[in-house]
Coordinates of all heavy atoms in Angstrom, one line a residue:
G23 N 41.0 102.6 118.0 CA 41.6 101.5 118.8 C 42.7 102.1 119.7 O 43.2 101.4 120.5
G24 N 43.0 103.4 119.4 CA 44.1 104.0 120.3 C 43.5 104.7 121.4 O 42.4 104.4 121.9
S25 N 44.5 105.3 122.3 CA 44.1 105.9 123.6 C 44.5 107.2 123.8 O 45.4 107.7 123.1 CB 44.7 105.0 124.6 OG 44.2 103.5 124.6
L26 N 43.7 107.9 124.6 CA 44.1 109.3 125.0 C 43.6 109.5 126.4 O 42.7 108.9 126.9 CB 43.3 110.3 124.1 CG 43.8 110.5 122.7 CD1 42.8 111.6 122.1 CD2 45.2 111.2 122.6
R27 N 44.4 110.4 127.1 CA 44.0 110.7 128.4 C 43.8 112.3 128.5 O 44.7 113.1 128.3 CB 45.1 110.4 129.4 CG 44.7 110.6 130.9 CD 45.6 110.2 132.0 NE 46.7 111.2 132.0 CZ 47.5 111.2 133.1 NH1 47.4 110.4 134.2 NH2 48.4 112.1 133.1
L28 N 42.5 112.6 128.8 CA 42.1 114.0 129.0 C 42.4 114.5 130.5 O 42.2 113.6 131.4 CB 40.8 114.2 128.6 CG 40.3 113.8 127.2 CD1 38.8 114.3 127.0 CD2 41.2 114.4 126.1
S29 N 42.8 115.7 130.6 CA 43.1 116.2 131.9 C 42.2 117.5 132.1 O 42.0 118.2 131.1 CB 44.5 116.6 132.2 OG 45.3 115.3 132.1
C30 N 41.7 117.6 133.4 CA 41.0 118.9 133.6 C 41.5 119.5 134.9 O 41.4 118.8 136.0 CB 39.5 118.6 133.7 SG 38.5 120.1 134.3
E31 N 42.2 120.6 134.9 CA 42.8 121.2 136.1 C 41.7 122.2 136.7 O 41.4 123.1 135.8 CB 44.1 121.9 135.8 CG 44.6 122.4 137.1 CD 46.0 122.9 136.8 OE1 46.5 123.0 135.7 OE2 46.7 123.5 137.7
A32 N 41.3 122.2 137.9 CA 40.5 123.1 138.4 C 41.2 124.0 139.4 O 42.2 123.7 140.1 CB 39.4 122.3 139.3
S33 N 40.7 125.2 139.4 CA 41.3 126.3 140.3 C 40.2 127.1 140.8 O 39.0 127.2 140.3 CB 42.4 127.1 139.6 OG 41.8 127.8 138.4
G34 N 40.6 127.9 141.9 CA 39.6 128.7 142.4 C 38.9 128.1 143.7 O 39.7 127.5 144.5
R35 N 37.7 128.1 143.8 CA 37.0 127.7 145.0 C 36.7 126.2 144.8 O 35.5 125.8 144.9 CB 35.7 128.4 145.3 CG 36.0 129.9 145.6 CD 34.7 130.6 145.9 NE 35.0 132.0 146.2 CZ 35.2 132.5 147.3 NH1 35.3 131.8 148.4 NH2 35.5 133.9 147.5
T36 N 37.7 125.4 144.7 CA 37.5 124.0 144.5 C 37.0 123.2 145.7 O 36.5 122.1 145.6 CB 38.9 123.3 144.1 OG1 39.8 123.5 145.1 CG2 39.4 123.9 142.8
F37 N 37.1 123.8 146.9 CA 36.6 123.2 148.1 C 35.1 123.0 148.1 O 34.6 122.2 148.9 CB 37.0 124.0 149.4 CG 36.6 125.4 149.4 CD1 35.3 125.7 149.7 CD2 37.4 126.4 148.9 CE1 34.8 127.1 149.8 CE2 36.9 127.8 148.9 CZ 35.6 128.0 149.3
G38 N 34.4 123.7 147.3 CA 33.0 123.6 147.1 C 32.5 122.6 146.1 O 31.3 122.5 145.9
I39 N 33.4 122.0 145.5 CA 33.0 121.0 144.3 C 32.4 119.7 144.9 O 33.0 119.1 145.8 CB 34.2 120.8 143.5 CG1 34.6 122.1 142.8 CG2 33.8 119.7 142.4 CD1 35.8 121.9 141.8
H40 N 31.3 119.2 144.3 CA 30.7 118.0 144.8 C 31.0 116.9 143.7 O 31.5 115.8 144.0 CB 29.2 118.1 144.9 CG 28.5 116.9 145.3 ND1 28.1 116.0 144.3 CD2 28.1 116.3 146.5 CE1 27.6 114.9 144.9 NE2 27.6 115.2 146.3
T41 N 30.9 117.2 142.6 CA 31.2 116.3 141.4 C 31.8 117.0 140.2 O 31.6 118.1 139.8 CB 29.8 115.8 140.9 OG1 29.1 115.1 142.1 CG2 30.0 114.7 139.9
M42 N 32.7 116.2 139.7 CA 33.3 116.6 138.5 C 32.8 115.7 137.2 O 32.7 114.5 137.4 CB 34.8 116.6 138.4 CG 35.5 117.5 139.5 SD 35.3 119.2 139.0 CE 36.3 119.2 137.5
G43 N 32.5 116.2 136.2 CA 32.0 115.5 135.1 C 32.7 115.7 133.7 O 33.3 116.8 133.5
W44 N 32.6 114.8 132.8 CA 32.9 115.2 131.4 C 31.8 115.0 130.5 O 31.0 114.0 130.7 CB 34.0 114.0 131.1 CG 35.4 114.2 131.6 CD1 35.9 113.6 132.7 CD2 36.4 115.1 131.1 NE1 37.2 114.1 132.8 CE2 37.5 115.0 131.9 CE3 36.5 115.9 130.0 CZ2 38.7 115.7 131.7 CZ3 37.6 116.7 129.8 CH2 38.7 116.5 130.6
F45 N 31.7 115.8 129.6 CA 30.7 115.8 128.6 C 31.3 115.9 127.2 O 32.5 116.2 127.1 CB 29.7 117.1 128.8 CG 28.9 117.1 130.1 CD1 29.4 117.3 131.3 CD2 27.6 116.7 130.1 CE1 28.7 117.2 132.4 CE2 26.8 116.6 131.3 CZ 27.5 116.9 132.5
R46 N 30.5 115.6 126.2 CA 31.0 115.7 124.9 C 29.9 116.3 124.0 O 28.8 116.0 124.1 CB 31.7 114.5 124.4 CG 30.6 113.4 124.1 CD 31.4 112.0 123.7 NE 30.5 110.9 123.6 CZ 30.8 109.7 123.4 NH1 32.2 109.4 123.4 NH2 30.0 108.7 123.3
Q47 N 30.4 116.9 122.9 CA 29.5 117.5 121.9 C 30.1 117.2 120.5 O 31.1 117.7 120.2 CB 29.2 118.9 122.1 CG 28.2 119.4 121.2 CD 27.7 120.9 121.5 OE1 28.3 121.5 122.2 NE2 26.5 121.2 121.0
A48 N 29.3 116.3 119.8 CA 29.7 116.0 118.4 C 29.2 117.2 117.3 O 28.2 117.8 117.9 CB 29.4 114.6 118.0
P49 N 29.7 117.3 116.3 CA 29.2 118.3 115.3 C 27.7 117.9 115.0 O 27.3 116.9 114.7 CB 30.1 118.1 114.1 CG 31.4 117.6 114.6 CD 31.0 116.7 115.7
G50 N 26.8 119.0 115.1 CA 25.4 118.8 114.9 C 24.6 118.1 115.9 O 23.5 117.8 115.8
K51 N 25.3 117.8 117.1 CA 24.7 117.0 118.0 C 24.5 117.8 119.3 O 25.3 118.8 119.5 CB 25.5 115.8 118.4 CG 25.6 114.7 117.2 CD 24.4 114.1 116.9 CE 24.6 113.0 115.8 NZ 23.5 112.2 115.5
E52 N 23.7 117.4 120.3 CA 23.6 118.1 121.6 C 24.7 117.5 122.4 O 25.2 116.4 122.3 CB 22.2 117.8 122.2 CG 21.0 118.4 121.5 CD 21.0 119.9 121.5 OE1 21.5 120.5 122.6 OE2 20.9 120.6 120.5
R53 N 25.0 118.3 123.4 CA 26.0 117.9 124.4 C 25.4 116.8 125.2 O 24.3 116.8 125.6 CB 26.3 119.1 125.3 CG 27.4 118.8 126.3 CD 27.7 120.1 127.2 NE 26.5 120.6 127.8 CZ 26.3 121.8 128.3 NH1 27.4 122.6 128.1 NH2 25.3 122.1 128.9
E54 N 26.2 115.8 125.4 CA 26.0 114.6 126.2 C 26.8 114.2 127.3 O 28.0 114.5 127.2 CB 25.7 113.3 125.4 CG 27.1 112.8 124.7 CD 26.9 111.5 124.0 OE1 25.8 110.9 124.0 OE2 27.9 111.1 123.3
F55 N 26.4 113.8 128.5 CA 27.1 113.3 129.5 C 28.0 112.1 129.1 O 27.5 111.2 128.4 CB 26.2 113.0 130.6 CG 26.9 112.3 131.8 CD1 27.5 112.9 132.9 CD2 26.8 110.9 131.9 CE1 28.1 112.4 133.9 CE2 27.4 110.3 133.0 CZ 28.1 111.0 134.0
V56 N 29.1 112.1 129.7 CA 30.1 111.0 129.4 C 30.4 110.2 130.6 O 30.3 108.9 130.8 CB 31.4 111.5 128.7 CG1 32.3 110.2 128.6 CG2 31.1 112.1 127.4
A57 N 30.9 110.8 131.7 CA 31.3 110.3 132.9 C 31.3 111.3 134.1 O 31.5 112.5 133.8 CB 32.7 109.7 132.8
S58 N 31.3 110.9 135.2 CA 31.5 111.8 136.4 C 32.1 111.0 137.6 O 32.1 109.9 137.7 CB 30.1 112.4 136.8 OG 29.2 111.3 137.4
I59 N 32.6 111.8 138.5 CA 33.2 111.3 139.7 C 33.2 112.4 140.8 O 33.2 113.5 140.6 CB 34.7 111.0 139.5 CG1 35.4 110.3 140.7 CG2 35.5 112.3 139.1 CD1 36.8 109.8 140.5
T60 N 32.7 112.0 142.0 CA 32.6 112.8 143.2 C 34.0 113.3 143.6 O 35.0 112.5 143.5 CB 31.9 112.1 144.3 OG1 32.5 110.9 144.7 CG2 30.4 111.9 143.9
W61 N 34.1 114.4 144.0 CA 35.3 115.1 144.4 C 35.9 114.3 145.7 O 37.2 114.2 145.8 CB 35.0 116.5 144.8 CG 36.4 117.3 144.9 CD1 37.0 117.8 146.1 CD2 37.3 117.6 143.8 NE1 38.2 118.4 145.7 CE2 38.3 118.4 144.3 CE3 37.2 117.4 142.4 CZ2 39.3 119.0 143.5 CZ3 38.3 118.0 141.6 CH2 39.2 118.6 142.1
S62 N 35.1 113.8 146.6 CA 35.5 113.0 147.7 C 34.5 111.8 147.7 O 33.3 111.8 147.6 CB 35.4 113.7 149.0 OG 34.0 114.1 149.3
G63 N 35.1 110.5 147.8 CA 34.4 109.3 147.8 C 34.4 108.5 146.7 O 34.2 107.3 146.6
N64 N 35.0 109.1 145.5 CA 35.2 108.4 144.2 C 34.1 107.5 143.7 O 34.3 106.6 143.1 CB 36.5 107.4 144.5 CG 37.7 108.1 144.5 OD1 38.0 109.1 143.7 ND2 38.7 107.7 145.5
V65 N 32.8 108.1 143.8 CA 31.7 107.5 143.2 C 31.7 108.0 141.7 O 31.7 109.2 141.4 CB 30.4 108.0 143.9 CG1 29.2 107.4 143.3 CG2 30.5 107.6 145.3
T66 N 31.7 107.0 140.9 CA 31.7 107.3 139.4 C 30.5 106.8 138.7 O 29.7 105.9 139.2 CB 33.0 106.5 138.8 OG1 32.7 105.1 139.0 CG2 34.2 107.0 139.4
A67 N 30.3 107.4 137.5 CA 29.2 107.2 136.7 C 29.6 107.2 135.3 O 30.5 108.0 134.9 CB 28.0 108.0 137.0
Y68 N 29.0 106.4 134.4 CA 29.4 106.4 132.9 C 28.2 106.1 132.1 O 27.2 105.4 132.6 CB 30.4 105.3 132.6 CG 31.7 105.4 133.3 CD1 31.9 104.7 134.6 CD2 32.8 106.1 132.7 CE1 33.2 104.8 135.3 CE2 34.0 106.1 133.5 CZ 34.2 105.4 134.7 OH 35.4 105.5 135.4
I69 N 28.2 106.7 131.0 CA 27.1 106.3 130.0 C 27.6 104.8 129.4 O 28.7 104.5 129.3 CB 26.9 107.3 128.8 CG1 28.3 107.5 128.1 CG2 26.3 108.5 129.3 CD1 28.1 108.3 126.8
D70 N 26.4 104.2 129.0 CA 26.6 102.8 128.5 C 27.7 102.7 127.3 O 28.5 101.8 127.3 CB 25.4 102.1 128.1 CG 24.5 101.9 129.3 OD1 25.0 101.8 130.4 OD2 23.3 101.7 129.2

């Protein structure tokens, strides 16, 4: 029921980024997509 805010700081050739995404991997599970956002345009996507 609580909340957290994760941050991801990018450095280097960030001008070439199209999309930033968040993935997660639970113990014994495969990595799964969580959410994404385009670097310009703010188009977002989420898993259900």
Side-chain angles (χ1 to χ4, degrees):
S25 299
L26 285 174
R27 188 180 76 161
L28 305 183
S29 298
C30 174
E31 183 177 0
S33 60
R35 298 181 181 272
T36 58
F37 58 85
I39 296 175
H40 180 274
T41 303
M42 297 293 296
W44 285 98
F45 294 76
R46 65 186 181 186
Q47 186 170 19
K51 302 285 187 178
E52 293 294 319
R53 182 178 60 197
E54 67 174 350
F55 169 83
V56 177
S58 66
I59 185 170
T60 56
W61 197 250
S62 62
N64 287 317
V65 179
T66 60
Y68 301 90
I69 55 170
D70 290 341

